[in-house]
Amino acid sequence: MNPVAEPVWDAPLASGWIRLRAADRARPQVLDSLLAAGVLAAAIADLFEQEERGLFGVQGVPAWVVVINAAALALPLVWRRRAPLAVFGVVLGVCAAQWSAGLALRSDLSLMIALYGAGRYASPRALRNMAIATAPVCALLAFRVQPLDSQPWVSLFFVLCAATAAAALGLAGRMRRAQL
């Protein structure tokens, strides 16, 4: 008996993905702007969270600080394809400043997006310098932000794994595109 192979993609899902990729190739700035808007919206949600919980607590932080940090982390993502290293540098600098103050926002995920973008669109030679720059900033997160600072070495390991995975996914996307 020969089992029938099931398609990995459902036909409507596959055609939707193909249309999205075509639209992205035609106007990449639109998708990047939507990505930045999504990161900004996630960060603004920090303002409406009233209870102290987990990593993303902003009690005692003025709303204007949260908004400025969120904007500084989200807006550079609009240029993540045209200037990936500049976007990475800005996002890394903002993350370093806020993590040294012990503040973590949901918009910090923009660092992973910037790492992916730099892995995908920047020179592969830049990845070593990105790793050298990212490690101490990730250490700030692990050693300064609660509750990660309760087990900083374990936290540092997992944060560095996430950063490595983001850059590696970008590099894999670059290699896949080159193959196609």
Side-chain angles (χ1 to χ4, degrees), residues 3-20:
V4 176
E6 299 223 4
V8 176
W9 289 83
D10 188 24
L13 181 63
S15 65
W17 179 255
I18 291 169
R19 282 193 303 269
L20 178 66

Side-chain angles (χ1 to χ4, degrees), residues 45-96:
D46 284 327
L47 293 174
F48 301 106
E49 185 67 42
Q50 297 301 318
E51 61 188 51
E52 182 71 34
R53 60 177 172 59
L55 182 61
F56 303 110
V58 293
Q59 277 65 28
V61 178
W64 64 270
V65 171
V66 174
V67 171
I68 288 175
N69 271 318
L73 288 170
L75 294 179
L77 296 178
V78 173
W79 296 279
R80 71 184 182 94
R81 296 182 210 210
R82 280 193 258 153
L85 290 178
V87 168
F88 168 74
V90 168
V91 169
L92 189 69
V94 173
C95 284

Side-chain angles (χ1 to χ4, degrees), residues 72-142:
L73 288 170
L75 294 179
L77 296 178
V78 173
W79 296 279
R80 71 184 182 94
R81 296 182 210 210
R82 280 193 258 153
L85 290 178
V87 168
F88 168 74
V90 168
V91 169
L92 189 69
V94 173
C95 284
Q98 77 177 29
W99 291 341
S100 65
L103 177 65
L105 299 174
R106 288 182 174 100
S107 60
D108 294 345
L109 72 99
S110 61
L111 179 59
M112 298 304 153
I113 296 169
L115 280 165
Y116 170 85
R120 177 85 189 256
Y121 303 109
S123 164
R125 293 181 181 161
L127 290 178
R128 181 190 71 217
N129 294 334
M130 287 172 32
I132 291 169
T134 303
V137 176
C138 289
L140 277 174
L141 175 65

Side-chain angles (χ1 to χ4, degrees), residues 125-175:
R125 293 181 181 161
L127 290 178
R128 181 190 71 217
N129 294 334
M130 287 172 32
I132 291 169
T134 303
V137 176
C138 289
L140 277 174
L141 175 65
F143 284 89
R144 297 274 303 151
V145 176
Q146 293 179 353
L148 298 179
D149 62 351
S150 63
Q151 292 185 323
W153 293 107
V154 174
S155 300
L156 180 62
F157 172 77
F158 285 110
V159 170
L160 287 175
C161 285
T164 302
L169 281 172
L171 193 57
R174 171 199 297 270
M175 291 188 301

